[in-house]
Amino acid sequence: MSLRNILIHPDPRLKKVCAPLEGVDSAVRKLATDMLETMHDAPGIGLAAPQVGVLQRLIVMDCAKKDEEPSPMALINPEVTWASETMNTYSEGCLSIPDQYEDVTRPAEVRVRYLDVDGQLQERAFDGLWATCVQHEIDHLDGKLFIDYLSKIKRSMITNKMKKLKRERARL
Ligand code: GNR
Ligand code: NI
């Protein structure tokens, strides 16, 4: 297990459309394990491979509440196959945009098809925080961040804050 460095917005790698994985091998399983460890350490409830600089379609999540059993998941080449018409608004954050939270409205329920770490095709329904999180993570694979749902003015304010944060971190 090893922690990976999380990229901070703005970074050109966070804007790329990621490539599908051709199969599931030990390198993919190692990446998934490292990403889960990095996500828990952050701490966060989800993480997408491009956030650690890997431009491949892999996401990890664990949206279990503190009083629930942990339920870590890794999803390879995830695709939304159905989205509810009912929408849900959540105050979203992102490990690549630290300490910034804004309301985002998305479908309340989705079905997602993906490969698990054993290379088995799976399809699962997500609701509540899980539904928000899986859509936020799949957006990362298409180079999309939650701030892309905000007004231009809010987005540029947040981007400027992140540029400042990166300058300060670089000076240390
Ligand atoms: O840790 C995270 N929390 C979160 C809260 C509301 C909606 C989405 C998220 S995902 C985020 C981790 C992250 O940046 N994943 O890409
Ligand atoms: Ni994110």
Side-chain angles (χ1 to χ4, degrees):
M1 295 221 288
S2 34
L3 292 177
R4 308 257 181 149
N5 185 46
I6 298 176
L7 300 177
I8 303 299
H9 166 75
D11 187 296
R13 289 166 287 182
L14 294 172
K15 307 231 68 171
K16 303 275 193 224
V17 175
C18 296
L21 281 154
E22 293 298 336
V24 185
D25 58 11
S26 58
V28 172
R29 281 190 283 269
K30 165 85 162 78
L31 175 59
T33 306
D34 287 355
M35 284 171 55
L36 278 166
E37 196 196 3
T38 303
M39 179 192 85
H40 282 129
D41 179 75
I45 58 171
L47 191 67
Q51 292 181 278
V52 296
V54 176
L55 300 184
Q56 294 179 336
R57 304 188 77 85
L58 166 64
I59 65 176
V60 297
M61 299 191 289
D62 189 346
C63 303
K65 304 273 170 0
K66 281 184 193 123
D67 60 337
E68 293 171 353
E69 283 293 303
S71 65
M73 296 187 73
L75 292 76
I76 295 153
N77 300 338
E79 278 180 63
V80 174
T81 56
W82 175 83
S84 64
E85 292 192 19
T86 308
M87 306 294 273
N88 198 3
T89 301
Y90 248 104
S91 177
E92 295 200 17
C94 182
L95 293 173
S96 295
I97 312 173
D99 304 318
Q100 306 299 316
Y101 299 88
E102 295 289 344
D103 281 359
V104 177
T105 299
R106 302 179 186 272
E109 280 183 66
V110 288
R111 292 192 68 84
V112 178
R113 191 185 299 152
Y114 60 97
L115 293 177
D116 66 21
V117 289
D118 299 316
Q120 296 287 321
L121 190 62
Q122 304 280 354
E123 184 156 335
R124 247 194 73 164
F126 295 94
D127 64 8
L129 183 57
W130 285 92
T132 292
C133 188
V134 75
Q135 293 174 82
H136 173 117
E137 301 314 334
I138 292 172
D139 273 353
H140 274 298
L141 305 181
D142 293 318
K144 190 160 184 173
L145 301 173
F146 82 89
I147 55 171
D148 295 328
Y149 293 94
L150 308 179
S151 65
K152 209 172 157 185
I153 174 112
K154 271 193 181 173
R155 184 162 60 249
S156 69
M157 276 176 56
I158 291 173
T159 298
N160 286 333
K161 279 186 196 168
M162 293 302 108
K163 285 180 179 168
K164 184 159 174 274
L165 175 70
K166 287 176 77 166
R167 279 199 302 273
E168 284 165 1
R169 287 189 179 182
R171 275 198 295 115
L172 292 180

